[in-house]
């Protein structure tokens, strides 16, 4: 829940991560894909303002509904554009993709923990 971004010191860390991801990866990828940098920055500034609003209330349910789509709409094209132009993919982008994939990975029925080279964990609610 985005309510955790307000009054919790970890919220500032998360917003700093998002700011860096957008500035260092998403905006440059948009420019490479012929989407204007100023347009991408304005879109992010608008969205970040809503995210920082304590009444916005972005819930885990909303993230679960829209996270996979955002992977295909923004994270995938960002990585593709950067790689196609020989640019570097940063840890921030790798983490965003890994977090998204972990969030949508189904829990193994009745098991958790290490199983060979694959970790199969139980997803929280």
């Amino acid at each position: 829940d985005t309510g955790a971004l307000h009054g919790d010191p970890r919220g500032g860390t998360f917003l700093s991560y998002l700011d860096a991801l957008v500035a260092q990866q998403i905006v440059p990828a948009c420019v490479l894909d012929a989407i204007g940098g100023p347009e991408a920055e304005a879109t992010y500034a608008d969205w970040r303002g809503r995210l920082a609003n304590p009444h916005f209330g972005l819930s885990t349910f909303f993230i679960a509904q829209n996270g996979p789509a955002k992977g295909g709409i923004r994270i995938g094209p960002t990585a593709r554009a950067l790689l196609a132009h020989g640019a570097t993919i940063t840890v921030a982008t790798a983490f965003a993709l890994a977090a998204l994939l972990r969030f949508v990975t189904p829990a193994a029925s009745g098991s958790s923990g290490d199983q060979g080279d694959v970790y199969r964990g139980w997803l929280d609610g």
Side-chain angles (χ1 to χ4, degrees):
D1 187 337
T2 54
L5 297 175
H6 312 286
D8 184 331
R10 295 174 294 179
T13 301
F14 180 70
L15 290 173
S16 294
Y17 161 75
L18 286 178
D19 292 343
L21 175 65
V22 170
Q24 297 171 9
Q25 297 280 265
I26 294 176
V27 170
C30 287
V31 170
L32 292 171
D33 272 349
I35 299 168
E39 183 179 344
E41 290 166 346
T43 300
Y44 176 65
D46 177 65
W47 180 78
R48 191 186 191 285
R50 286 184 278 134
L51 182 65
N53 182 325
H55 304 291
F56 185 54
L58 188 61
S59 69
T60 303
F61 175 73
F62 180 83
I63 294 167
Q65 261 188 322
N66 295 296
K70 293 299 179 191
I73 293 168
R74 188 65 274 144
I75 300 299
T78 294
R80 183 180 58 241
L82 293 170
L83 290 171
H85 291 88
T88 301
I89 301 285
T90 67
V91 154
T93 300
F95 176 76
L97 184 57
L100 175 64
L101 291 174
R102 181 62 189 113
F103 191 80
V104 299
T105 301
S109 105
S111 66
S112 66
D114 291 324
Q115 296 177 358
D117 291 337
V118 177
Y119 178 79
R120 296 184 186 272
W122 182 71
L123 296 177
D124 293 336

